[in-house]
Amino acid sequence: MERYILEATKYTPYIELDTNLGTLQVMGDSYPENALELYQPLLTRIDAYFADNIKKLDIYLQIDYLNTSSSKMLIDIFTKLSYYFDKGNQISAVWKYPEDDEDYREQCMMFLEEAHFPYQLVGLAY
Amino acid sequence: MRSSFSAYSIFQAMHDNNIQFSYKGPLTQDILTSFGESIKEKLHTDDCDEKVIRRIFSILVESAQNILKYSTDRLEVDAVTRKDAGVGIIGIGNLTDKEFLVFSGNLINADSMPRIKALIDHLNSLTAAELSLHYQKQLKEGTIAADGSAGLGWIEIARKANRPLEYEFVELSPGEIFFEIKIYIRVED
């Protein structure tokens, strides 16, 4: 396994997990009808990546809009990553969000409360 | 004359209620995206506040996906995969300078009426802080179903709306009900 790439569509984000570099990127809008279908392959690959040895993962998120189904999957991904962080893996996240959007910021904070790993929340001017 | 249809009756209904966009048919993802993007563009042109645009878009997506998944009136939209989509109506109006309206409606089974009624009445009874906690609890403790439902859609709509959410059940025939909901979004000064 090296790179898992899912190209963006009009309503799903670009997803890239590079296991050589130890990076995960999710960029774009995320409002599929079924987010379980969209994100399950990524969850499976995250498990495979952390299955042996201690690893590092730098996460970069720039998701303009998330529907509720995607929010649920994202929190499940955060819970999983927190579990791997607690096992000694090096995990950190940068999350860019529209800086004037308090709703979005509140939403991010809900996610990040679940994160045991270090993170940066960065406001972006749109 | 083939039917008594008149475009003017639709024009008049939309005009009288200040409705700008409305769509009736299967709410596929592609239609939702086109519809949602057009409305975003129109609101940007009108210099609407970015935060209000985001709230409206979110309510449109959750409303449309409720119809897509749960409307009992269904149409096959892909001949190869046999995938179907729920049929319904969705639209947006700018009622006053202070408030937008997003409305939607679709057929449901009479059996699901008590559940939907209890759910929305409960959301209407909560304060903003209680809604936020309710959302957070469901987000963290809920599970996602095989069809992608996370039990969050209505809570999200209620959080972003100016409550109460106004709904109505119109009985069309025994067992068949048209469920409609009006969601108001306040424009902050």
mmCIF file of all heavy atoms in Angstrom, chain B residues 92-109:
data_model
loop_
_atom_site.group_PDB
_atom_site.id
_atom_site.type_symbol
_atom_site.label_atom_id
_atom_site.label_comp_id
_atom_site.label_asym_id
_atom_site.label_seq_id
_atom_site.Cartn_x
_atom_site.Cartn_y
_atom_site.Cartn_z
ATOM 1 N N ILE B 92 -37.281 27.549 -2.043
ATOM 2 C CA ILE B 92 -36.798 28.609 -1.157
ATOM 3 C C ILE B 92 -37.478 29.929 -1.503
ATOM 4 O O ILE B 92 -37.698 30.241 -2.680
ATOM 5 C CB ILE B 92 -35.259 28.741 -1.228
ATOM 6 C CG1 ILE B 92 -34.787 29.832 -0.263
ATOM 7 C CG2 ILE B 92 -34.776 28.997 -2.643
ATOM 8 C CD1 ILE B 92 -33.304 29.825 -0.049
ATOM 9 N N GLY B 93 -37.813 30.652 -0.478
ATOM 10 C CA GLY B 93 -38.396 31.970 -0.679
ATOM 11 C C GLY B 93 -37.769 32.966 0.271
ATOM 12 O O GLY B 93 -37.248 32.601 1.325
ATOM 13 N N ASN B 94 -37.800 34.205 -0.153
ATOM 14 C CA ASN B 94 -37.315 35.267 0.709
ATOM 15 C C ASN B 94 -38.559 36.021 1.169
ATOM 16 O O ASN B 94 -39.090 36.862 0.483
ATOM 17 C CB ASN B 94 -36.397 36.191 -0.094
ATOM 18 C CG ASN B 94 -35.724 37.204 0.787
ATOM 19 O OD1 ASN B 94 -36.056 37.336 1.964
ATOM 20 N ND2 ASN B 94 -34.781 37.914 0.225
ATOM 21 N N LEU B 95 -39.033 35.606 2.336
ATOM 22 C CA LEU B 95 -40.322 36.109 2.792
ATOM 23 C C LEU B 95 -40.287 37.583 3.117
ATOM 24 O O LEU B 95 -41.108 38.361 2.681
ATOM 25 C CB LEU B 95 -40.763 35.334 4.027
ATOM 26 C CG LEU B 95 -41.340 33.952 3.752
ATOM 27 C CD1 LEU B 95 -41.931 33.397 5.019
ATOM 28 C CD2 LEU B 95 -42.401 34.035 2.665
ATOM 29 N N THR B 96 -39.322 37.944 3.922
ATOM 30 C CA THR B 96 -39.153 39.345 4.286
ATOM 31 C C THR B 96 -37.666 39.614 4.206
ATOM 32 O O THR B 96 -36.889 38.720 3.898
ATOM 33 C CB THR B 96 -39.608 39.593 5.739
ATOM 34 O OG1 THR B 96 -38.706 38.909 6.604
ATOM 35 C CG2 THR B 96 -41.012 39.095 5.982
ATOM 36 N N ASP B 97 -37.275 40.803 4.493
ATOM 37 C CA ASP B 97 -35.837 41.098 4.497
ATOM 38 C C ASP B 97 -35.153 40.425 5.680
ATOM 39 O O ASP B 97 -33.942 40.310 5.727
ATOM 40 C CB ASP B 97 -35.610 42.597 4.580
ATOM 41 C CG ASP B 97 -36.034 43.278 3.299
ATOM 42 O OD1 ASP B 97 -36.072 42.596 2.245
ATOM 43 O OD2 ASP B 97 -36.343 44.468 3.343
ATOM 44 N N LYS B 98 -35.967 39.992 6.643
ATOM 45 C CA LYS B 98 -35.417 39.454 7.894
ATOM 46 C C LYS B 98 -35.372 37.936 7.933
ATOM 47 O O LYS B 98 -34.799 37.351 8.829
ATOM 48 C CB LYS B 98 -36.272 39.935 9.081
ATOM 49 C CG LYS B 98 -36.348 41.432 9.213
ATOM 50 C CD LYS B 98 -35.269 41.932 10.133
ATOM 51 C CE LYS B 98 -35.251 43.437 10.181
ATOM 52 N NZ LYS B 98 -33.916 43.978 10.355
ATOM 53 N N GLU B 99 -36.076 37.313 6.990
ATOM 54 C CA GLU B 99 -36.250 35.877 7.117
ATOM 55 C C GLU B 99 -36.342 35.168 5.766
ATOM 56 O O GLU B 99 -37.051 35.629 4.882
ATOM 57 C CB GLU B 99 -37.547 35.607 7.898
ATOM 58 C CG GLU B 99 -37.452 34.477 8.866
ATOM 59 C CD GLU B 99 -38.651 34.480 9.822
ATOM 60 O OE1 GLU B 99 -39.769 34.790 9.400
ATOM 61 O OE2 GLU B 99 -38.445 34.181 11.000
ATOM 62 N N PHE B 100 -35.629 34.069 5.628
ATOM 63 C CA PHE B 100 -35.770 33.202 4.458
ATOM 64 C C PHE B 100 -36.666 32.032 4.825
ATOM 65 O O PHE B 100 -36.769 31.668 5.998
ATOM 66 C CB PHE B 100 -34.413 32.644 4.031
ATOM 67 C CG PHE B 100 -33.578 33.617 3.267
ATOM 68 C CD1 PHE B 100 -32.641 34.404 3.923
ATOM 69 C CD2 PHE B 100 -33.717 33.728 1.895
ATOM 70 C CE1 PHE B 100 -31.862 35.316 3.205
ATOM 71 C CE2 PHE B 100 -32.940 34.633 1.179
ATOM 72 C CZ PHE B 100 -32.013 35.422 1.836
ATOM 73 N N LEU B 101 -37.256 31.425 3.803
ATOM 74 C CA LEU B 101 -38.046 30.216 4.014
ATOM 75 C C LEU B 101 -37.511 29.107 3.122
ATOM 76 O O LEU B 101 -37.327 29.294 1.923
ATOM 77 C CB LEU B 101 -39.516 30.475 3.645
ATOM 78 C CG LEU B 101 -40.405 29.236 3.487
ATOM 79 C CD1 LEU B 101 -40.647 28.560 4.833
ATOM 80 C CD2 LEU B 101 -41.735 29.594 2.836
ATOM 81 N N VAL B 102 -37.228 27.953 3.715
ATOM 82 C CA VAL B 102 -36.953 26.745 2.936
ATOM 83 C C VAL B 102 -38.111 25.802 3.219
ATOM 84 O O VAL B 102 -38.429 25.546 4.379
ATOM 85 C CB VAL B 102 -35.615 26.087 3.337
ATOM 86 C CG1 VAL B 102 -35.468 24.724 2.668
ATOM 87 C CG2 VAL B 102 -34.436 26.977 2.960
ATOM 88 N N PHE B 103 -38.777 25.347 2.164
ATOM 89 C CA PHE B 103 -39.884 24.416 2.384
ATOM 90 C C PHE B 103 -39.627 23.117 1.638
ATOM 91 O O PHE B 103 -38.900 23.083 0.639
ATOM 92 C CB PHE B 103 -41.221 25.033 1.947
ATOM 93 C CG PHE B 103 -41.291 25.377 0.487
ATOM 94 C CD1 PHE B 103 -41.805 24.467 -0.428
ATOM 95 C CD2 PHE B 103 -40.845 26.606 0.024
ATOM 96 C CE1 PHE B 103 -41.870 24.778 -1.786
ATOM 97 C CE2 PHE B 103 -40.911 26.928 -1.331
ATOM 98 C CZ PHE B 103 -41.422 26.011 -2.234
ATOM 99 N N SER B 104 -40.187 22.038 2.167
ATOM 100 C CA SER B 104 -40.064 20.760 1.473
ATOM 101 C C SER B 104 -41.269 19.903 1.794
ATOM 102 O O SER B 104 -41.979 20.147 2.784
ATOM 103 C CB SER B 104 -38.764 20.049 1.857
ATOM 104 O OG SER B 104 -38.780 19.706 3.226
ATOM 105 N N GLY B 105 -41.512 18.932 0.949
ATOM 106 C CA GLY B 105 -42.643 18.047 1.171
ATOM 107 C C GLY B 105 -42.478 16.760 0.394
ATOM 108 O O GLY B 105 -41.844 16.741 -0.670
ATOM 109 N N ASN B 106 -42.983 15.679 0.952
ATOM 110 C CA ASN B 106 -42.933 14.387 0.265
ATOM 111 C C ASN B 106 -43.943 13.420 0.870
ATOM 112 O O ASN B 106 -44.467 13.654 1.955
ATOM 113 C CB ASN B 106 -41.524 13.784 0.330
ATOM 114 C CG ASN B 106 -41.042 13.553 1.744
ATOM 115 O OD1 ASN B 106 -40.471 14.451 2.351
ATOM 116 N ND2 ASN B 106 -41.298 12.382 2.284
ATOM 117 N N LEU B 107 -44.199 12.344 0.129
ATOM 118 C CA LEU B 107 -45.129 11.328 0.620
ATOM 119 C C LEU B 107 -44.447 10.456 1.675
ATOM 120 O O LEU B 107 -43.248 10.156 1.568
ATOM 121 C CB LEU B 107 -45.592 10.427 -0.531
ATOM 122 C CG LEU B 107 -46.456 11.075 -1.609
ATOM 123 C CD1 LEU B 107 -46.870 10.014 -2.638
ATOM 124 C CD2 LEU B 107 -47.702 11.702 -0.993
ATOM 125 N N ILE B 108 -45.227 10.090 2.684
ATOM 126 C CA ILE B 108 -44.740 9.149 3.699
ATOM 127 C C ILE B 108 -45.852 8.132 3.981
ATOM 128 O O ILE B 108 -47.003 8.338 3.595
ATOM 129 C CB ILE B 108 -44.361 9.864 5.024
ATOM 130 C CG1 ILE B 108 -45.587 10.593 5.614
ATOM 131 C CG2 ILE B 108 -43.208 10.837 4.836
ATOM 132 C CD1 ILE B 108 -45.428 11.000 7.059
ATOM 133 N N ASN B 109 -45.481 7.044 4.631
ATOM 134 C CA ASN B 109 -46.486 6.097 5.103
ATOM 135 C C ASN B 109 -47.126 6.665 6.359
ATOM 136 O O ASN B 109 -46.446 7.279 7.173
ATOM 137 C CB ASN B 109 -45.842 4.758 5.474
ATOM 138 C CG ASN B 109 -45.490 3.960 4.243
ATOM 139 O OD1 ASN B 109 -46.195 4.000 3.240
ATOM 140 N ND2 ASN B 109 -44.378 3.244 4.324
#
